[in-house]
Amino acid sequence: GMVDFTPIAVLVSLALDLGLNSLAEPLIAHVGIVILVTCLQVAMPLCTLVFIFVMFMRTTLLQSGNFGALSSKFRGLSVISPLRLFLLMAIKSYRIGEFTQSRPWALVWELDGYLPLFVAEKVVMVFYYLACYNTLLQLGDPNLYTQRAPPIERKPPEFLAPISLRQYRSVPEIIRGKSSADALNTAVRFLNELVIEKYQLMMTQTAELHMLRVSDEALQLRKAWEGQEGQETLHIDCFSDSDLKLFPELAGQEGNDLLQVLKHLNLVVTLKTTRQYSIYGSSKKGGEVQAWARQEAMSLREAHARSKKEAKVEGYRRG
């Protein structure tokens, strides 16, 4: 991919730069050849800086527009690069100017100021190579890039709180039956799971359910729940007495005892009654489970869209 290619491109361009700028022009050469070689000598450092800038573009500093911090962190390259380009173009312009006047190569060294300029350019070139190499090492720091945060696990809200021992003792035995407080709270836990799974199914789009390979029975159940929705249940977490049969732990006497206890304690209220079923909601008539399930479905949708986008980008890179 491009991420792996760019550092290699920087090293290759540096090697070509070193090779071209180490070549001495022949003693007798056509001015056109000298100009061509000179253009290549100037182009290589520019290519190196372009590749490094491409790597900068992936950092959070450049993406946030923090050019000051970027320049400060890579101060060596920021200072030496303009100086390197200035000296390189100065000495090449000087040399080409003398060649156009048909001055022999051997006499170029005798020109005033040429030798100090040549030495300064070569010294700066060494520091430039070191700055580029150090920049590559610094760009290997993962802290320079956006780190994908681990997914935040949002704990589902409780539809019903556990029944306290005081509440349990306040219920006549004829209503609670032979169920113990622990058994009733186990049933409460299963009921909470039922309501959570109900709204997870209802808040997830049908296409996404097919993608997750949800069973046909679950899809039919979702359709039945949608048919139970009405003005009475709008934005209210609820369940029906027929839903208790979905959990083996609630299908028998335990589920019936739980429903009677919850109604006696006014922890649930009747929202809707038909010949086939009765729908109950918590006494506070809240919609916290629906809101949680809706947020979870949205997160799933965003994660799916993001993975598709990343797969598409990766396909372009490999292509």
Side-chain angles (χ1 to χ4, degrees), residues 43-68:
M44 280 302 107
L46 292 175
C47 287
T48 301
L49 294 175
V50 167
F51 288 131
I52 290 177
F53 182 76
V54 170
M55 298 179 71
F56 283 159
M57 289 174 64
R58 303 191 192 106
T59 65
T60 53
L61 293 175
L62 189 59
Q63 289 175 359
S64 62
N66 197 345
F67 297 101

Side-chain angles (χ1 to χ4, degrees), residues 7-179:
I8 297 174
V10 172
L11 293 174
V12 170
S13 61
L14 280 174
L16 291 174
D17 180 15
L18 178 61
L20 283 169
N21 282 288
S22 298
L23 291 175
E25 286 78 354
L27 297 180
I28 301 174
H30 192 277
V31 67
I33 298 176
V34 175
I35 292 175
L36 176 61
V37 172
T38 300
C39 289
L40 291 174
Q41 289 173 327
V42 174
M44 280 302 107
L46 292 175
C47 287
T48 301
L49 294 175
V50 167
F51 288 131
I52 290 177
F53 182 76
V54 170
M55 298 179 71
F56 283 159
M57 289 174 64
R58 303 191 192 106
T59 65
T60 53
L61 293 175
L62 189 59
Q63 289 175 359
S64 62
N66 197 345
F67 297 101
L70 186 71
S71 177
S72 176
K73 184 169 183 62
F74 300 96
R75 186 181 297 107
L77 188 68
S78 303
V79 172
I80 204 73
S81 295
L83 183 58
R84 164 80 203 287
L85 292 173
F86 171 76
L87 290 174
L88 181 63
M89 287 187 284
I91 196 168
K92 300 307 177 186
S93 300
Y94 199 167
R95 185 177 298 177
I96 289 176
E98 296 303 320
F99 268 101
T100 56
Q101 296 176 19
S102 302
R103 182 181 293 274
W105 167 248
L107 296 180
V108 171
W109 294 96
E110 299 176 3
L111 294 173
D112 293 338
Y114 182 81
L115 183 59
L117 184 61
F118 177 85
V119 172
E121 190 267 333
K122 296 305 178 188
V123 170
V124 170
M125 183 175 73
V126 172
F127 284 102
Y128 166 77
Y129 291 148
L130 291 174
C132 288
Y133 181 72
N134 287 332
T135 298
L136 285 181
L137 295 180
Q138 286 179 282
L139 285 169
D141 183 3
N143 294 323
L144 288 172
Y145 307 93
T146 302
Q147 303 295 312
R148 182 173 294 176
I152 300 173
E153 294 186 5
R154 288 177 286 269
K155 187 177 179 181
E158 282 186 333
F159 172 64
L160 291 176
I163 298 171
S164 68
L165 190 58
R166 182 178 179 181
Q167 288 174 317
Y168 173 78
R169 289 172 178 170
S170 70
V171 180
E173 187 175 348
I174 192 172
I175 295 177
R176 70 176 187 246
K178 296 181 180 180
S179 297

Side-chain angles (χ1 to χ4, degrees), residues 259-278:
L259 190 54
Q260 297 305 318
V261 169
L262 294 176
K263 289 164 67 177
H264 178 81
L265 293 173
N266 291 321
L267 296 178
V268 298
V269 293
T270 305
L271 301 176
K272 181 179 178 181
T273 301
T274 69
R275 291 182 179 181
Q276 290 80 24
Y277 55 82
S278 293

